[in-house]
């Protein structure tokens, strides 16, 4: 990671710093993993590398109840976006597709806060 991208590292919550430095849900999901879990693989791409922000979501969906068994992502974008997508992947697990699509950026930002009254991201990096 290029730390020049993070102008004011101390303006990020500790949770955001941890998610940027060591995302737990970053990566793809293979067909073999999907088969082992007994689900169906769903892949969704958003944005473009040319515009500087591309996200690919990978979900393994349980065919019996449409719940998300596993969630991962790959990204080409800012460090703050890595943190938000890592939190999103975590929050999607065990939710139905309908419930997962209700997750908002504002909700993600709230879960990344160290303190409910202090924003997780500096104002310049907040998309809410």
């Amino acid at each position: 990671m290029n730390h020049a991208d993070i102008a004011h590292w101390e303006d990020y919550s500790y949770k955001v710093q941890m998610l940027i430095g060591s995302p737990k849900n970053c990566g793809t999901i293979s067909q073999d993993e999907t088969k082992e879990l007994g689900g169906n693989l769903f892949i969704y791409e958003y944005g473009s590398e040319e515009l500087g922000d591309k996200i690919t979501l990978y979900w393994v969906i349980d065919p019996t109840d449409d719940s998300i068994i596993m969630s991962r992502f790959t990204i080409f974008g800012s460090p703050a976006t890595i943190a938000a997508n890592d939190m999103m992947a975590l929050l999607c697990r065990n939710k139905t597709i309908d419930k997962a699509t209700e997750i908002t950026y504002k909700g993600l930002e709230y879960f990344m806060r160290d303190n409910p009254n202090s924003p997780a991201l500096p104002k310049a990096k907040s998309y809410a």
Side-chain angles (χ1 to χ4, degrees), residues 8-110:
H8 303 285
W9 187 247
E10 65 277 358
D11 292 336
Y12 290 81
S13 72
Y14 179 73
K15 287 180 187 174
V16 169
Q17 292 177 39
M18 295 301 295
L19 292 168
I20 292 170
S22 183
K24 304 289 185 225
N25 303 292
C26 192
T28 62
I29 298 175
S30 71
Q31 287 292 345
D32 288 340
E33 288 176 293
T34 302
K35 186 176 180 180
E36 284 177 29
L37 293 168
N40 299 314
L41 183 59
F42 172 79
I43 301 173
Y44 176 76
E45 291 185 18
Y46 179 79
S48 73
E49 288 184 27
E50 292 80 21
L51 296 176
D53 211 9
K54 180 182 178 184
I55 301 162
T56 306
L57 302 175
Y58 300 85
W59 288 348
V60 177
I61 308 296
D62 184 331
T64 62
D65 63 3
D66 283 341
S67 65
I68 300 165
I69 302 169
M70 180 183 282
S71 178
R72 292 190 187 143
F73 70 97
T74 58
I75 189 161
F76 178 85
S78 73
T81 310
I82 293 170
N85 280 280
D86 201 47
M87 181 58 70
M88 183 186 63
L90 176 67
L91 293 175
C92 284
R93 285 196 194 119
N94 301 315
K95 287 186 173 39
T96 63
I97 296 170
D98 288 340
K99 287 293 181 191
T101 59
E102 293 175 4
I103 296 172
T104 64
Y105 184 82
K106 187 175 181 179
L108 291 173
E109 189 277 333
Y110 184 80

